[in-house]
Amino acid sequence: MKKPLSIAFLLLIAAIPTFAQLSKEDYRPLECKGEIPEVFLRLSSEISKEINEQNQYATESKRVRKQTENFYEMSNFMLDQILLSGDILFGATLTRYFNKIGKELMKDNPELQKKVTFFTFKSPHVNAFATDQGYIFVNVGLLAQVSNETELAFVLSHELVHYREQHNIQEFLETDLIKKGKGKYRYTSTSDRVNSYYQYSRELETEADKEGLKMLANTNYNIKKAKGLFDVLLYSYLPFDEEEFDRGFLGNSSFEFPEKYFLDSVKSISARDDVSDELSTHPNIRKRRDAALKRFKKLQKSSKGKSTYLTSKEEFRYVRDIARFEIIRQNLLMHRYDRAIYNCFLMKEDYPNNKWLDKCLIQALSGALAYKEQNKSSEAMSYYKKVEGYSQDVSYFLRKIKKKELAITTTAKAYEIYQKYPDDKYLAKYAEDLMYHLISFYELSLEDFTRDKEDESEDEDGDDEESASAESEDDEDEDEDDDEELSKYDKIKKKKSEDKEAMSDDEKYYYLNAFRSFFKDPDFEIMFEKAYSRYQKNTDISESERARMTKQAKKREKMIAKKGEALGIDELVVVDPTYLVIDDRGSNSKVNYAQSEGKKQDLKDKISDISSDIELKTTLLDPKVFDYSQTKEFNALMKMKEWISEMSSHEVDSVNSILLEELNQVSNSFNTPYVAVPACYNFTINENKGKYIWPMFFVVTIPWAIYKMVTPTEGTYIRFYVLDLKSGNSVFDEEYVFLHRDSDANVNSCLYDSMSQIKRR
């Protein structure tokens, strides 16, 4: 007989938080949990073949059968790309939540339950979509914005109808008829066919709304609570909440920013629900709302005694907060730094001491600084004149603040956060690196922040305003007795000078107070001096040592030009390679899906064979050879893909990633920080064949000319680059381009060249 559990043990169990993903103090980014679903592990070509075999007798029309085969070949390949993108989550907290709602929606249809699976899509956009294979993807952006669970359930019911009624394949087949002008579109004009496409798509969306509401009415949800969804859709382009930005949020107890860095009033929110939907696949919000309200009235009797939430309002708010934290993570990965800062501000009200949120704030500020210093702010931040609502203040601030001031602000905020978590090595390094940047890039020292304001010269940024003030003062001294009328340019300089004088000292030199509150902390001076010593070590180099280093660098350049790199790397992790075969001859590029997948498998084999030949130890992260239990390896691969996507989309250098801390744990498990990313693209392209007409006049060259005239021109692009997980930097990047088909010999030669350089000492 089992012994009863002790009271102490029961109390311990009760003390464990119900929700472990997110706490007031920290957050763990979402990862996949449990066994890997079969669809992630199978080749898309295998799945397509099975589906098409099942459907081959579903219709007698040869055209429909062929188009159906094309549809499933395309959709399964695209599904595979989505599943392995790094953005999809199975078994995670949010995924379980979506599946729980889905189960309630399908409780009267057990057959449908067997066919449908929900996944979380780590996208900040307010959306959800269904595939014809029964997979429904729900964006974190949608969950972050809905006001209650019933609104979310309405969206999921809408997507379930799309799947149940097979709207995707219907739309694909109808679109094919429209494009080719066949069937009932045979005698219609091009413009009429375009209108028909949009009209048909809107009809499917209207049907999904109508049938989705019916499905929702048959559940335990109070259907009246779903009405707010249309407001969610209308204002989806705004952040997930609307709160006036606290202008002291980015400062500290020692200083605040001048009013000139903020707007007198932000731009009003101008969303309209009646915009033209003539060229839209969805009806506008007003039409959808009006049609839905009529159905709400018919179905509202079924809402009596029903609830807004399946379990509790607390659980809904918890999962919504997780989605909002994930939105901030996505803001950073997509370089939307102004949006990330505003969203951090919004979440700080409920999570004032959350370490992960603090780290995101520093990441956003330093990312904005990197882009600003390289004069590419527009690539990473919204143009403030196009931003509506309170978040406009953040976009305006980041555009107007000077580079040096933003660097000081970011460093001060980093150290302030480090003070909260002094044992965190990541934050300590971040703060020191930012101090080093201040010293090396802006030539600042501690003395610049401790001397009196009266001794401070003009702003070291050398602004046009300040230069103009100095020139104006000089002119006044020289022309003191000159009675001539001031020119337009003199007036401009004089006005700038007066504006400068009108500013208080606090406004002129506010940023010099940024570190004042830290001077009582002995660790601050120690860290700053450490950064300064690092700077001196890199600059105090003797002439003989500098000459030696220059000579060594030139020697290395010559060797690289002659033989290539010699990195001396013995072990490498190879991320799931990319291989695409693309026909670029028509107006739209077409991917040969089956051939691409087969070539990708060949590429993996080539990498393994060459690794063995040159004794380079490689770990190929290939999800198609994982078994169901290798979720840890799968998560590692997905994190790497997220990081590679982030790094490849940056427009500037030296931007740290929020993923680096997560990736450090990954690199430790693989015994190497080096990650290889191979990619190959084979293009069939248009070429002017006119140049082959002349050889047709010579008997000897006729066969060659005919061959050239009828043979498509192909080109191949191969890239093999290696990233260092520890530093976040690229250590090797080799590209190969040639106007030939991607023969085994060509691909092998390029791979061998790259991998030999990586291995060679």
Side-chain angles (χ1 to χ4, degrees):
M1 181 178 174
K2 292 182 180 179
K3 293 183 180 180
L5 294 172
S6 69
I7 294 176
F9 183 79
L10 290 173
L11 289 173
L12 178 63
I13 293 295
I16 296 175
T18 307
F19 309 117
Q21 195 79 51
L22 171 64
S23 70
K24 290 292 183 182
E25 292 75 32
D26 212 348
Y27 174 66
R28 288 184 298 106
L30 292 170
E31 289 186 334
C32 296
K33 301 287 184 184
E35 289 191 342
I36 305 174
E38 184 181 21
V39 66
F40 286 81
L41 307 177
R42 296 187 63 195
L43 294 172
S44 64
S45 55
E46 292 177 359
I47 299 172
S48 299
K49 184 179 179 181
E50 285 183 9
I51 294 174
N52 287 325
E53 285 175 354
Q54 294 169 8
N55 293 336
Q56 62 178 324
Y57 303 113
T59 175
E60 295 180 0
S61 168
K62 185 177 179 181
R63 183 194 69 82
V64 173
R65 283 202 304 271
K66 180 62 178 173
Q67 286 303 104
T68 302
E69 288 178 7
N70 292 340
F71 170 78
Y72 281 112
E73 182 181 37
M74 175 193 70
S75 65
N76 279 298
F77 184 86
M78 297 306 295
L79 174 65
D80 197 53
Q81 301 301 299
I82 292 169
L83 293 173
L84 302 179
S85 64
D87 294 324
I88 306 304
L89 295 163
F90 58 82
T93 305
L94 300 191
T95 309
R96 295 195 301 271
Y97 181 67
F98 298 142
N99 276 288
K100 183 168 67 173
I101 295 173
K103 189 175 180 181
E104 171 66 18
L105 293 168
M106 296 181 286
K107 65 181 182 179
D108 296 329
N109 193 336
E111 286 302 311
L112 189 61
Q113 278 193 51
K114 293 176 184 177
K115 298 176 182 178
V116 172
T117 305
F118 291 87
F119 292 121
T120 302
F121 198 152
K122 292 187 285 185
S123 166
H125 302 295
V126 178
N127 195 25
F129 62 95
T131 72
D132 267 57
Q133 299 89 340
Y135 302 110
I136 296 178
F137 298 91
V138 188
N139 289 7
V140 293
L142 173 64
L143 177 55
Q145 297 251 14
V146 291
S147 302
N148 60 59
E149 187 174 285
T150 306
E151 291 175 357
L152 177 63
F154 182 17
V155 178
L156 301 194
S157 66
H158 175 103
E159 297 305 326
L160 282 168
V161 171
H162 276 316
Y163 168 69
R164 188 187 69 190
E165 303 302 323
Q166 295 291 282
H167 282 170
N168 287 348
I169 182 66
Q170 285 184 36
E171 186 169 12
F172 181 83
L173 294 173
E174 194 74 13
T175 301
D176 182 61
L177 289 174
I178 292 170
K179 283 182 178 178
K180 295 176 180 177
K182 293 187 175 181
K184 62 183 179 182
Y185 307 104
R186 185 184 299 273
Y187 302 109
T188 56
S189 65
T190 301
S191 60
D192 285 341
R193 291 205 300 270
V194 170
N195 289 332
S196 296
Y197 164 73
Y198 288 113
Q199 178 64 32
Y200 185 77
S201 182
R202 289 195 297 270
E203 287 172 3
L204 295 182
E205 292 302 323
T206 301
E207 182 184 0
D209 276 350
K210 177 183 176 181
E211 295 300 316
L213 280 172
K214 285 183 182 179
M215 184 183 292
L216 189 64
N218 290 327
T219 68
N220 290 319
Y221 284 111
N222 181 347
I223 195 170
K224 291 187 288 187
K225 296 296 183 180
K227 293 179 182 178
L229 175 65
F230 298 104
D231 287 329
V232 173
L233 299 177
L234 180 62
Y235 299 109
S236 62
Y237 66 97
L238 297 170
F240 49 71
D241 207 347
E242 184 69 7
E243 295 285 346
E244 185 174 1
F245 185 65
D246 178 1
R247 297 176 176 188
F249 179 66
L250 299 176
N252 60 38
S253 59
S254 295
F255 82 106
E256 58 184 32
F257 299 99
E259 287 298 313
K260 65 177 182 177
Y261 287 151
F262 298 98
L263 294 159
D264 293 332
S265 61
V266 297
K267 189 176 181 180
S268 299
I269 294 167
S270 62
R272 289 175 48 212
D273 62 1
D274 60 346
V275 295
S276 173
D277 56 9
E278 200 171 312
L279 296 178
S280 173
T281 57
H282 288 61
N284 66 39
I285 300 298
R286 178 172 291 184
K287 289 179 182 177
R288 291 184 72 179
R289 191 200 303 269
D290 290 346
L293 286 175
K294 293 176 183 177
R295 298 183 188 110
F296 276 126
K297 290 178 181 177
K298 293 179 181 179
L299 299 168
Q300 63 183 354
K301 291 181 181 178
S302 65
S303 294
K304 289 185 178 179
K306 293 185 178 180
S307 177
T308 311
Y309 306 94
L310 276 182
T311 51
S312 69
K313 189 175 185 178
E314 289 70 30
E315 183 186 12
F316 166 75
R317 287 184 171 176
Y318 170 74
V319 293
R320 188 178 65 177
D321 280 355
I322 289 176
R324 290 178 172 183
F325 270 65
E326 285 292 329
I327 290 292
I328 294 170
R329 187 174 183 270
Q330 289 302 309
N331 291 155
L332 294 174
L333 297 182
M334 297 169 73
H335 325 141
R336 293 291 306 278
Y337 299 121
D338 52 341
R339 187 61 71 93
I341 291 169
Y342 183 72
N343 286 338
C344 283
F345 161 72
L346 292 175
M347 298 310 293
K348 271 290 185 179
E349 183 176 351
D350 290 330
Y351 299 88
N353 297 309
N354 188 282
K355 187 200 291 191
W356 191 85
L357 207 55
D358 283 329
K359 288 180 178 180
C360 287
L361 178 59
I362 298 304
Q363 179 67 45
L365 284 168
S366 59
L369 175 64
Y371 273 82
K372 195 173 186 72
E373 287 179 339
Q374 298 180 52
N375 299 316
K376 291 192 175 182
S377 290
S378 60
E379 303 293 335
M381 288 168 270
S382 309
Y383 180 43
Y384 72 89
K385 288 187 178 180
K386 294 184 178 181
V387 179
E388 297 176 2
Y390 288 122
S391 65
Q392 187 188 26
D393 237 0
V394 178
S395 302
Y396 184 84
F397 169 83
L398 290 175
R399 284 301 180 104
K400 294 301 179 181
I401 191 171
K402 298 181 180 69
K403 297 172 185 177
K404 180 172 69 175
E405 294 170 9
L406 182 57
I408 294 169
T409 298
T410 303
T411 306
K413 184 57 69 174
Y415 191 79
E416 178 190 341
I417 289 172
Y418 164 69
Q419 280 185 315
K420 291 169 66 175
Y421 317 104
D423 296 327
D424 192 297
K425 294 180 180 178
Y426 176 84
L427 286 171
K429 185 178 185 305
Y430 221 128
E432 187 189 320
D433 286 348
L434 284 166
M435 289 178 185
Y436 174 78
H437 184 69
L438 278 183
I439 296 163
S440 58
F441 195 83
Y442 295 100
E443 299 181 347
L444 292 170
S445 67
L446 272 183
E447 291 179 359
D448 292 294
F449 300 95
T450 55
R451 62 189 174 192
D452 293 334
K453 293 175 191 171
E454 294 80 33
D455 299 330
E456 182 64 38
S457 61
E458 294 295 333
D459 190 346
E460 291 156 12
D461 273 354
D463 263 12
D464 291 339
E465 285 185 8
E466 294 157 352
S467 300
S469 298
E471 289 174 18
S472 180
E473 289 169 3
D474 290 341
D475 290 344
E476 285 176 13
D477 290 339
E478 291 173 10
D479 303 325
E480 192 173 359
D481 299 322
D482 197 338
D483 292 330
E484 289 185 16
E485 184 180 352
L486 291 176
S487 69
K488 177 179 75 172
Y489 311 104
D490 292 330
K491 291 174 183 176
I492 292 170
K493 293 174 183 178
K494 182 178 180 183
K495 179 66 170 67
K496 287 190 173 186
S497 178
E498 289 170 352
D499 290 344
K500 189 74 178 177
E501 289 301 315
M503 290 176 64
S504 68
D505 281 345
D506 286 341
E507 288 179 314
K508 288 181 188 177
Y509 310 119
Y510 76 94
Y511 56 87
L512 298 181
N513 289 321
F515 299 148
R516 242 173 241 285
S517 62
F518 307 142
F519 291 150
K520 295 178 182 178
D521 181 359
D523 290 338
F524 175 75
E525 190 169 347
I526 292 171
M527 182 179 285
F528 209 101
E529 289 301 327
K530 186 177 178 183
Y532 192 78
S533 298
R534 179 174 149 197
Y535 167 71
Q536 284 186 314
K537 184 179 179 181
N538 291 335
T539 54
D540 294 348
I541 302 173
S542 65
E543 287 300 320
S544 59
E545 178 65 13
R546 197 181 300 276
R548 188 190 67 80
M549 291 170 65
T550 302
K551 185 178 179 181
Q552 200 172 42
K554 287 181 178 179
K555 183 179 178 182
R556 186 173 182 275
E557 285 175 9
K558 287 181 181 178
M559 187 174 290
I560 291 173
K562 187 177 180 180
K563 296 183 177 180
E565 291 276 10
L567 300 179
I569 295 174
D570 295 318
E571 191 168 348
L572 203 60
V573 174
V574 181
V575 170
D576 185 33
T578 297
Y579 208 119
L580 288 178
V581 179
I582 303 167
D583 188 339
D584 204 23
R585 286 174 292 181
S587 56
N588 296 315
S589 296
K590 296 178 182 178
V591 176
N592 186 320
Y593 303 111
Q595 197 174 354
S596 294
E597 193 167 68
K599 293 274 190 179
K600 180 177 177 177
Q601 297 305 311
D602 291 341
L603 180 62
K604 294 173 184 176
D605 293 339
K606 288 180 173 64
I607 291 170
S608 296
D609 291 343
I610 294 171
S611 298
S612 178
D613 289 345
I614 66 174
E615 296 182 347
L616 174 65
K617 185 177 179 182
T618 57
T619 302
L620 178 61
L621 292 182
D622 179 3
K624 300 306 179 185
V625 299
F626 286 168
D627 64 39
Y628 302 108
S629 64
Q630 288 183 278
T631 308
K632 181 180 178 183
E633 290 82 354
F634 184 86
N635 280 325
L637 173 58
M638 294 304 107
K639 283 186 190 298
M640 289 183 192
K641 287 199 169 189
E642 280 187 296
W643 181 52
I644 291 163
S645 176
E646 179 195 7
M647 291 295 102
S648 61
S649 62
H650 268 308
E651 297 290 335
V652 300
D653 300 322
S654 305
V655 181
N656 285 330
S657 172
I658 192 67
L659 290 168
L660 278 184
E661 198 172 11
E662 300 173 43
L663 289 167
N664 281 338
Q665 300 169 4
V666 171
S667 65
N668 292 336
S669 64
F670 286 112
N671 300 318
T672 178
Y674 299 110
V675 176
V677 187
C680 183
Y681 301 88
N682 176 242
F683 297 89
T684 303
I685 56 178
N686 283 317
E687 184 188 18
N688 181 9
K689 300 289 186 177
K691 60 186 177 182
Y692 300 117
I693 295 176
W694 181 250
M696 296 283 285
F697 290 97
F698 301 93
V699 175
V700 177
T701 56
I702 285 176
W704 174 83
I706 293 174
Y707 172 78
K708 284 293 186 180
M709 291 280 281
V710 300
T711 304
T713 302
E714 291 187 82
T716 304
Y717 169 77
I718 296 174
R719 185 182 182 192
F720 199 102
Y721 62 105
V722 178
L723 301 164
D724 183 347
L725 289 175
K726 292 290 186 185
S727 66
N729 298 323
S730 171
V731 296
F732 179 82
D733 194 349
E734 195 74 74
E735 295 176 303
Y736 309 86
V737 182
F738 43 89
L739 281 174
H740 300 289
R741 63 185 297 270
D742 52 343
S743 64
D744 286 345
N746 284 332
V747 176
N748 268 324
S749 174
C750 296
L751 291 175
Y752 190 90
D753 179 60
S754 287
M755 295 170 73
S756 296
Q757 291 183 60
I758 292 164
K759 169 70 177 179
R760 187 168 56 239
R761 295 186 181 279

